[in-house]
Amino acid sequence: MKDVAAAAGVSLKTVSRVVNGESNVNDDLRSAVLESIAELGFRRNASARDLRQGRSGTIGLLLEDVADPFYSMLSRAVEEVAREHGTMVFAGSSAEDPDRERDLALAFCERRVDGLIIVPAGTSHSYLLPEMRAGIPAVFVDRPPGDIEADMILTDNLGGSRRGVEHLLGHGHRRIGFIGDAPEIYTAGERLRGYREALESAGIAFSDDLVTQAPPSPTSTADALDRLLEGPSPATAVLCGNSRTTVSVLRELARRSARLALVGFDDVELGDLLQPGLTVVAQDPGAMGAAAARLLFQRIAGDTAGPTQTVTIGTRLIPRGSGELPAP
Amino acid sequence: MKDVAAAAGVSLKTVSRVVNGESNVNDDLRSAVLESIAELGFRRNASARDLRQGRSGTIGLLLEDVADPFYSMLSRAVEEVAREHGTMVFAGSSAEDPDRERDLALAFCERRVDGLIIVPAGTSHSYLLPEMRAGIPAVFVDRPPGDIEADMILTDNLGGSRRGVEHLLGHGHRRIGFIGDAPEIYTAGERLRGYREALESAGIAFSDDLVTQAPPSPTSTADALDRLLEGPSPATAVLCGNSRTTVSVLRELARRSARLALVGFDDVELGDLLQPGLTVVAQDPGAMGAAAARLLFQRIAGDTAGPTQTVTIGTRLIPRGSGELPAP
DNA sequence: CCGTGAGATGACAACGTTGTCAACGCTGTT
DNA sequence: AACAGCGTTGACAACGTTGTCATCTCACGG
């Protein structure tokens, strides 16, 4: 910038004004400056600007895994909203590791992001309190934060799960299994609650025998199906608590050539092309990301007065065949 | 930092030394400083550090679409390598729009990223020359840059496509169609070349009637299939030039209850669960991302002397059923 | 003809950090 | 006892930008 000023024969400040598109600059000077900028290939240094202005035009996005379709759609939605605000996005994957989550979040803060969007992996987020007090707003997505109050965007896990079970009940099933993720994961717990409530509302006793809670893996899935299908009155339907579980169950069912009515929580690409088509309770990761980003930018803009908000995004049941298999 | 220095009763520089883990600091002072840091909730300001040091510990990743599984896997691989280098990743989607690509790339440069990884959308990248001369290395992935020389990581599109066609030939097919993306997309062109070469090596005349080049959409796919299946000697097999096309073709085939031997270029989640399983020429987005990041960090580390490199990542043919349907 | 105000321009400090260099105290040698 | 050498510490400038404020020019009205 100094060089540009020298080349154009003006002061530093005038170059700054031109670069920032301020109106009160003489047209001749402006063109001289623009010419020098083009000639020298000048590009403003954002670090210096950030330092001076105390804000970075940057937000941090902390996901479980950037490569997971659910999060990558969420991520894209966040990016679009950020773009509208002239903001760039740092994205990082916590890999479900609380320490890594913390490191990433604090690294984002060190970079002086204007705000954070977090899919929490850990159960304690008090480490963010100093940062939030220092003016970095945080919005949590998909799962609530551990031990602090903050804005959240959640899926209607309970309602969606309930709806999925009711759908199976509506097709005559009475022995309905639930295979979900590890119980310490918030969404897994909520979805199990929905399953339970639906059964109870229908006057069906909840039975531990029909429930599996474990991270999806070929062996845990095989075990879960063994338990569901053994005994005198085997399950005739199952609700899968997340898409990885759903896929895992589908593979195992295919291997056994077994058939089971199935509703998956969270949609899966190509679900419509399977035989039968996969019935799902679809979440809307795009809507979640957009809602989170919008709320975050509202906070960044200074709307920091109100109480913390919780936005719940609804689910949509998409019948494609697997959930409509009748009970025998 | 000034406050920390005051609280600990030492100079600014000593705090700096402690924060940076330099060894030559008295243990008593060090603990005093650490204590003050904890007490005040101090976090180093990365903008100031970047400004002073002239580097940002940051790279820019420019993709077509963060939400596309291929790119999101690539993205995750880049993130992992960046993590090893203590570097954060800015990710942005060009949405296949050259202007948006340019804006994003230059915004990254303004942020003084240490390097760029780009999946190019546009055909001209000379706008990067000043930046590259200014010391920001760039690695192109999946497609070559437009009108500049630079490092690239490419899939073996030609070889993979050839291999896919040979696979179909091996199962007795002689009328093999090709449905690919718009011809101006580099990968689409290469894959068409591979298709052509495989046919020619087998002594089969190339026929325009069997080839469609268009962005995948329900109507273009329906048209393409119409053309393939009409006439006295319809196609008995098809090579799909990318995964969106593959999915689109699968949907259309399901709608028509038509059967066609099919090999898809690029893998698709759940391909193994379809009936028949989907045979694909699988790319390895993770390997591409990792290779790109590694090469980039090599360049960042100063290995800027050598000529530009082109790394070609091989493909893998995964037979699952659809590509092994015999010719009638 | 002078005073006033509006608009353009520039000088300068400040943002928070780190590299450079000088000063200091201590140990061990001559 | 003087001094070299080493390790620790701090003062200060610099990174590139922008906010503040002062200065300057010009037009206009009294």
Side-chain angles (χ1 to χ4, degrees):
Chain A
M1 190 144 136
K2 204 169 46 178
D3 300 337
V4 174
V10 299
S11 79
L12 257 178
K13 184 63 207 187
T14 300
V15 178
S16 171
R17 279 192 255 261
V18 171
V19 169
N20 290 297
E22 293 174 34
S23 56
N24 48 350
V25 179
N26 178 294
D27 280 346
D28 292 346
L29 289 192
R30 163 170 285 119
S31 22
V33 168
L34 288 176
E35 197 175 320
S36 304
I37 286 179
E39 200 170 311
L40 297 173
F42 165 80
R43 193 98 45 211
R44 176 175 58 196
N45 183 319
S47 302
R49 169 174 237 245
D50 294 350
L51 173 59
R52 184 60 233 249
Q53 300 198 324
R55 50 189 303 286
S56 65
T58 281
I59 62 174
L61 174 60
L62 195 34
L63 305 166
E64 199 204 302
D65 179 2
V66 175
D68 182 296
F70 179 82
Y71 296 117
S72 66
M73 296 200 140
L74 194 154
S75 175
R76 177 64 195 271
V78 169
E79 183 195 341
E80 291 303 319
V81 175
R83 211 169 94 87
E84 290 167 17
H85 289 80
T87 295
M88 319 238 59
V89 181
F90 278 116
S93 306
S94 67
E96 206 71 84
D97 172 353
D99 290 337
R100 183 159 163 182
E101 174 201 308
R102 187 169 173 282
D103 289 349
L104 271 169
L106 292 180
F108 288 152
C109 290
E110 195 168 275
R111 289 238 136 68
R112 293 298 188 269
V113 292
D114 298 335
L116 286 170
I117 295 179
I118 303 182
V119 176
T123 55
S124 166
H125 296 90
S126 42
Y127 67 84
L128 278 176
L129 278 177
E131 316 297 335
M132 292 173 70
R133 263 197 292 269
I136 301 186
V139 174
F140 287 77
V141 191
D142 196 41
R143 309 168 188 174
D147 46 7
I148 64 174
E149 285 242 332
D151 294 316
M152 323 179 228
I153 313 289
L154 302 176
T155 288
D156 177 18
N157 292 291
L158 194 147
S161 178
R162 211 183 143 127
R163 180 79 198 288
V165 174
E166 284 164 1
H167 187 74
L168 291 167
L169 289 167
H171 285 81
H173 296 276
R174 288 298 172 270
R175 299 279 294 168
I176 302 175
F178 177 88
I179 308 183
D181 212 324
E184 59 268 24
I185 295 181
Y186 166 79
T187 53
E190 288 296 295
R191 292 170 195 173
L192 178 57
R193 270 181 62 208
Y195 162 82
R196 192 165 191 148
E197 285 191 8
L199 290 185
E200 284 170 1
S201 297
I204 298 179
F206 171 88
S207 159
D208 266 334
D209 299 341
L210 294 173
V211 171
T212 299
Q213 295 183 83
S217 76
T219 58
S220 74
T221 303
D223 289 353
L225 281 177
D226 284 344
R227 291 181 53 220
L228 285 184
L229 299 176
E230 75 189 359
S233 60
T236 62
V238 64
L239 178 74
C240 292
N242 65 57
S243 62
R244 280 192 302 251
T245 302
T246 303
V247 170
S248 191
V249 167
L250 287 175
R251 291 225 166 84
E252 185 66 19
L253 287 175
R255 206 178 62 75
R256 303 181 179 203
S257 312
R259 235 180 194 219
L260 201 57
L262 189 155
V263 171
F265 202 109
D266 196 13
D267 203 359
V268 150
E269 224 192 343
L270 298 202
D272 60 324
L273 286 176
L274 299 176
Q275 300 283 350
L278 179 66
T279 297
V280 297
V281 176
Q283 305 187 77
D284 191 341
M288 297 182 76
R294 268 187 244 291
L295 180 50
L296 183 67
F297 280 107
Q298 208 172 305
R299 295 298 191 196
I300 290 173
D303 171 18
T304 177
T308 63
Q309 292 184 29
T310 299
V311 178
T312 304
I313 309 277
T315 59
R316 204 159 46 97
L317 190 134
I318 307 178
R320 297 199 186 109
S322 73
E324 293 76 48
L325 296 177
Chain B
M1 189 142 138
K2 204 170 44 179
D3 300 337
V4 174
V10 299
S11 78
L12 257 178
K13 184 64 207 185
T14 300
V15 178
S16 171
R17 280 192 255 261
V18 171
V19 170
N20 289 296
E22 293 174 33
S23 56
N24 48 350
V25 179
N26 180 293
D27 280 345
D28 292 347
L29 289 192
R30 160 169 288 118
S31 19
V33 168
L34 288 175
E35 197 175 319
S36 303
I37 285 179
E39 201 169 310
L40 297 174
F42 164 81
R43 193 98 46 211
R44 176 174 58 193
N45 182 321
S47 302
R49 170 176 236 245
D50 293 351
L51 174 60
R52 182 63 231 245
Q53 300 198 323
R55 51 184 302 287
S56 64
T58 281
I59 63 175
L61 174 60
L62 195 34
L63 305 166
E64 200 205 301
D65 180 1
V66 175
D68 181 295
F70 180 82
Y71 296 116
S72 67
M73 296 201 139
L74 194 154
S75 174
R76 178 66 195 270
V78 168
E79 183 195 341
E80 290 304 320
V81 175
R83 210 169 95 87
E84 290 168 16
H85 288 80
T87 296
M88 320 236 60
V89 181
F90 279 117
S93 305
S94 67
E96 207 70 85
D97 172 353
D99 290 337
R100 183 159 165 183
E101 174 201 307
R102 188 170 173 281
D103 289 349
L104 272 169
L106 292 180
F108 288 153
C109 290
E110 195 167 276
R111 290 237 140 66
R112 293 299 188 271
V113 292
D114 298 335
L116 286 171
I117 295 179
I118 303 182
V119 176
T123 55
S124 167
H125 297 89
S126 43
Y127 68 84
L128 278 177
L129 277 177
E131 316 297 335
M132 291 174 72
R133 264 196 292 269
I136 301 185
V139 174
F140 287 77
V141 191
D142 196 41
R143 309 169 187 173
D147 46 7
I148 64 173
E149 285 243 332
D151 293 318
M152 321 178 230
I153 313 290
L154 302 176
T155 287
D156 178 17
N157 292 289
L158 194 148
S161 178
R162 212 182 143 128
R163 179 78 198 289
V165 174
E166 284 164 0
H167 187 74
L168 291 167
L169 289 166
H171 285 82
H173 295 276
R174 288 299 172 268
R175 299 279 295 168
I176 302 174
F178 177 87
I179 307 182
D181 212 323
E184 58 269 23
I185 294 179
Y186 167 80
T187 52
E190 288 295 297
R191 292 170 196 172
L192 178 57
R193 270 181 61 207
Y195 163 83
R196 191 164 192 150
E197 284 191 8
L199 289 185
E200 284 169 1
S201 297
I204 297 179
F206 172 87
S207 159
D208 266 335
D209 298 341
L210 294 173
V211 170
T212 298
Q213 295 183 82
S217 77
T219 58
S220 74
T221 303
D223 289 352
L225 281 177
D226 284 343
R227 292 181 54 220
L228 285 183
L229 300 175
E230 76 188 358
S233 61
T236 62
V238 64
L239 178 74
C240 291
N242 65 58
S243 63
R244 279 190 304 249
T245 301
T246 303
V247 170
S248 190
V249 167
L250 288 174
R251 291 225 166 87
E252 185 65 19
L253 287 175
R255 206 179 61 76
R256 303 181 179 203
S257 311
R259 233 178 194 224
L260 202 55
L262 189 156
V263 172
F265 202 110
D266 197 13
D267 204 357
V268 149
E269 223 192 345
L270 300 202
D272 60 323
L273 285 176
L274 298 177
Q275 301 283 352
L278 179 66
T279 297
V280 296
V281 176
Q283 305 187 78
D284 191 339
M288 297 183 76
R294 269 187 245 290
L295 180 50
L296 184 67
F297 279 107
Q298 209 172 304
R299 296 298 190 194
I300 291 174
D303 171 18
T304 175
T308 62
Q309 292 185 27
T310 299
V311 177
T312 304
I313 310 276
T315 59
R316 205 159 45 98
L317 191 133
I318 308 177
R320 296 198 187 111
S322 73
E324 294 75 48
L325 296 178

